[in-house]
Amino acid sequence: EAGVTQFPSHSVIEKGQTVTLRCDPISGHDNLYWYRRVMGKEIKFLLHFVKESKQDESGMPNNRFLAERTGGTYSTLKVQPAELEDSGVYFCASSPLPGQGDNEQFFGPGTRLTVL
Amino acid sequence: QKEVEQNSGPLSVPEGAIASLNCTYSDRGSQSFFWYRQYSGKSPELIMSIYSNGDKEDGRFTAQLNKASQYVSLLIRDSQPSDSATYLCAVKNTGKLIFGQGTTLQVKP
């Protein structure tokens, strides 16, 4: 069974540019989460999709971040315009719905974003 | 006070010893607790989950939970150099995970 995949693995952009990150969850997992780790800090929650609906977006830093999950499959996270403080590693995780198995979250390899 | 606290380490143990990693959390209503292992530059890998007070064993790993003390620990028996990694404690809160900063474990041959 394929795990969570993310693309790209690395992205280097200049301040003011736009970047779109993609996450493909484990097949059949309806829960999809985005997290971010900035240097020296702990991994922090950004938002949570259940299928195509945003369940919780309390961790989104500001309106420069836009997440979508059209069709309830893969998700994208767009940062526009990027700022220096957006640099970090963006992780995606997925889990099945309760009752469909253990409700544990499985993480992708992350996208390392560097904003210059 | 951080929601989930871990000593950042590094914790250094000799090969074959028991490594003990600790975590405290602030939300007394938390019900689900997880330990992830993360090698440098890799994704967090789930190694243990625990939901009720007491011990849960899986191979060389034992997770311990004490909800009254708001304390979770991970014991690694017969530590191997390949166990050298950062260990992340995570507490589930309304669906999302709240992470500690992680403890770096170094197992010396």
Side-chain angles (χ1 to χ4, degrees), chain A residues 24-79:
Chain A
D24 286 79
I26 293 171
S27 178
H29 280 192
D30 288 328
N31 287 300
L32 187 150
Y33 308 82
W34 284 99
Y35 293 86
R36 176 175 74 172
R37 184 169 199 164
V38 297
M39 189 177 296
K41 301 284 188 181
E42 65 272 21
I43 296 173
K44 285 201 170 177
F45 168 80
L46 295 177
L47 89 159
H48 171 203
F49 283 101
V50 177
K51 299 184 180 179
E52 66 275 9
S53 299
K54 291 177 184 174
Q55 184 77 11
D56 181 356
E57 50 185 331
S58 61
M60 294 288 262
N62 50 61
N63 59 9
R64 294 186 293 103
F65 288 74
L66 175 64
E68 295 180 323
R69 193 183 182 195
T70 307
T73 54
Y74 70 92
S75 174
T76 58
L77 179 65
K78 184 194 296 190
V79 185

